Amino acid sequence: MSDLAQSTTGLSLKHPMAVAWVLALSVSLANFDVTVVAVVLPAIRDELGFSISATAWVMDAYSLAFAGSLFAAGALADRFGRRRMLLLGNAGFALASLLCGLTWDGPSLWFARALQGVCAAFYITGGLAAISLAYPPSDNAAHANHGRARAFGIIGVTSGAAMALGPTLGGFVAAGFGWRWIFLINLPVCAICAWAVRRVIAESRDEEGRALDIIGVVLLTLAIALPVQALLHSDGAPVWRWFATGAGVLFGIALVRQQKRRAKPMLDPMLFRRREAIGIGCLLLSLSAGYWATLIYLPLYLLAAFGLDVERSGLAMLCATLPMLALPPVGVWATQRYGWQATFTGGLLLLTAGLTLLAYAAFTGASLWFALGAMLLLASGAGVSNSQVSGALVALAPPDRAGMASAMATTLRQAGFAIGIALLGAVSGGVNYAAAFGVAAFAAALGAAAAALTLKRILT
């Protein structure tokens, strides 16, 4: 049964949306650190002497730890208290950020980034669970449902803004104070989050919730990490690359079989028994590999092709991120008017076109203005599609599996992001950005094909 206990400090901030804004700050910090690092990767690479694979691990250590810890974090939050795990994640994230700022070599930075990813999983699971409890759905009170929609809207907008503006803000901070400060500025934000969470979030737990599935977590992590490792070490022995990739596939199959046998699985493969759900899963992977992974290599390309420093790269990155803030309402309108099939197919085709033009720019040495136009086009396609895809997977799930579907959507995003970063890094070799953007365009085209072939015109 659910055991809700009011925080001993009481709810001191009285505004009805106070809980939403506090949780939005926490969740946005986790999302901010996904993209803020992108613009300083050239500086990190130069100072620490990284190869392209070592540079990619700065991002993938975070994403893999995030994806692998997400379900475990949810189970621990249910059992021991969402507020408690949220505060624990906040403290761990502050410590990991400090370690990132004080790092001295590759392994120390990768470890700190992985710790950030684990703690980010507690942010996301604890925050979303607390939102659901603070603004429960109601069949009789339209106002209550309106509050719930506003709360999730606040989190969605602030998270999107954090991810979209991360490269630009990171560029300004790094230009003024150095790349280490993009991590150190998390410390006062974490302190504010801890203070606010203690004042406005009530504790909640579910004594009969899911047990911690350690075997499932290990299988999930290996299924993602081994193919990423194989891609990032593409200069190694071909036998090892094929072995690691095949082992990852086998671990994925073992995960599916293991989850089917559990009475309360941490992820239910039956959620993908409908072709529409399979299509949405492909879209999540495609967007992460095609758009979000491209963001990581854009600053490296802008430096190599046009000599842009960290501050000017941050400004240029607005072309690839601002549409993610401006166009989600267009995506909402389009899905209501034309349905998922047309909206997602059209959005992924725009993303494909923008990435194709960007690959052309990198191959031919086209002007900066041409590259910026391509960045605007690809971001427009992602902006129309991105905010709607996770919600589509949740809408396809039974009501009692909505939370699991949301967690699976996040896991697919992070897995696609990690694999995309590794794949683009392996293809580019640190110099061939035309090939990297071409592969990203191919991933986006696969997503467009999946949307066209699996989704209906209107789904309710």
Side-chain angles (χ1 to χ4, degrees):
M1 298 293 292
S2 179
D3 175 22
L4 274 174
Q6 186 82 346
S7 168
T8 56
T9 58
L11 301 183
S12 301
L13 303 180
K14 299 297 185 181
H15 192 279
M17 290 293 110
V19 173
W21 282 110
V22 168
L23 293 174
L25 178 63
S26 300
V27 172
S28 297
L29 182 61
N31 287 319
F32 180 73
D33 267 58
V34 174
T35 59
V36 69
V37 182
V39 76
V40 299
L41 284 177
I44 294 175
R45 178 191 62 186
D46 294 342
E47 180 174 330
L48 299 182
F50 280 173
S51 65
I52 188 65
S53 62
T55 304
W57 269 117
V58 177
M59 301 302 304
D60 272 347
Y62 185 98
S63 296
L64 288 171
F66 191 173
S69 304
L70 194 65
F71 289 99
L76 291 171
D78 288 345
R79 183 62 58 89
F80 297 107
R82 285 94 180 200
R83 177 176 177 265
R84 179 178 298 166
M85 291 298 105
L86 183 57
L87 288 170
L88 179 64
N90 180 79
F93 199 88
L95 174 62
S97 298
L98 177 62
L99 293 176
C100 286
L102 300 177
T103 190
W104 59 91
D105 61 6
S108 62
L109 180 56
W110 301 330
F111 169 79
R113 285 288 286 169
L115 182 58
Q116 275 191 317
V118 171
C119 296
F122 284 92
Y123 265 136
I124 297 297
T125 55
L128 294 182
I131 277 284
S132 297
L133 292 167
Y135 304 96
S138 172
D139 295 331
N140 299 319
H143 180 70
N145 285 328
H146 178 65
R148 182 179 176 86
R150 282 188 63 195
F152 278 103
I154 288 170
I155 285 193
V157 170
T158 54
S159 296
M163 293 191 75
L165 297 178
T168 302
L169 296 178
F172 284 125
V173 171
F177 304 99
W179 65 264
R180 297 175 185 273
W181 280 93
I182 68 168
F183 300 112
L184 297 177
I185 60 173
N186 290 339
L187 299 180
V189 180
C190 287
I192 294 171
C193 287
W195 174 84
V197 166
R198 289 181 179 276
R199 296 184 71 85
V200 305
I201 307 300
E203 184 60 284
S204 64
R205 61 178 59 85
D206 185 355
E207 301 293 352
E208 298 180 1
R210 294 168 291 139
L212 179 59
D213 183 4
I214 297 177
I215 295 177
V217 170
V218 171
L219 290 174
L220 174 62
T221 303
L222 290 174
I224 303 172
L226 285 174
V228 167
Q229 174 74 1
L231 286 169
L232 288 179
H233 289 80
S234 58
D235 55 344
V239 174
W240 154 248
R241 296 201 303 271
W242 285 109
F243 173 78
T245 302
V249 173
L250 290 177
F251 279 121
I253 294 172
L255 174 66
V256 172
R257 294 176 64 87
Q258 185 250 1
Q259 291 298 300
K260 284 183 176 180
R261 292 194 299 266
R262 291 181 62 85
K264 290 185 176 181
M266 69 176 188
L267 56 90
D268 187 357
M270 293 305 292
L271 287 175
F272 292 96
R273 64 185 180 272
R274 295 174 58 180
R275 70 171 189 173
E276 293 87 358
I278 295 174
I280 293 298
C282 292
L283 286 176
L284 288 163
L285 293 170
S286 178
L287 275 167
S288 293
Y291 174 72
W292 293 109
T294 297
L295 286 189
I296 305 307
Y297 290 97
L298 275 175
L300 297 169
Y301 162 66
L302 293 171
L303 172 65
F306 308 109
L308 299 189
D309 59 21
V310 65
E311 187 172 10
R312 290 187 295 168
S313 290
L315 287 173
M317 288 292 288
L318 287 173
C319 292
T321 56
L322 279 184
M324 296 293 289
L325 290 177
L327 293 181
V330 176
V332 174
W333 171 82
T335 54
Q336 293 173 346
R337 179 71 181 271
Y338 301 108
W340 290 355
Q341 185 183 53
T343 301
F344 293 146
T345 302
L348 268 294
L349 286 175
L350 281 177
L351 176 59
T352 302
L355 288 166
T356 301
L357 291 175
L358 191 62
Y360 174 80
F363 182 74
T364 62
S367 69
L368 175 61
W369 291 108
F370 186 95
L372 294 179
M375 290 161 61
L376 274 172
L377 183 61
L378 70 88
S380 297
V384 169
S385 309
N386 183 71
S387 62
Q388 302 299 306
V389 176
S390 294
L393 185 60
V394 174
L396 289 169
D400 63 341
R401 291 289 188 271
M404 182 185 295
S406 178
M408 290 183 73
T410 303
T411 301
L412 285 171
R413 283 185 182 275
Q414 292 300 322
F417 187 49
I419 293 172
I421 290 172
L423 180 60
L424 268 58
V427 169
S428 73
V431 294
N432 192 351
Y433 294 104
F437 299 146
V439 169
F442 181 70
L446 290 178
L453 296 174
T454 65
L455 301 182
K456 299 176 182 177
R457 181 180 182 275
I458 299 175
L459 292 174
T460 57

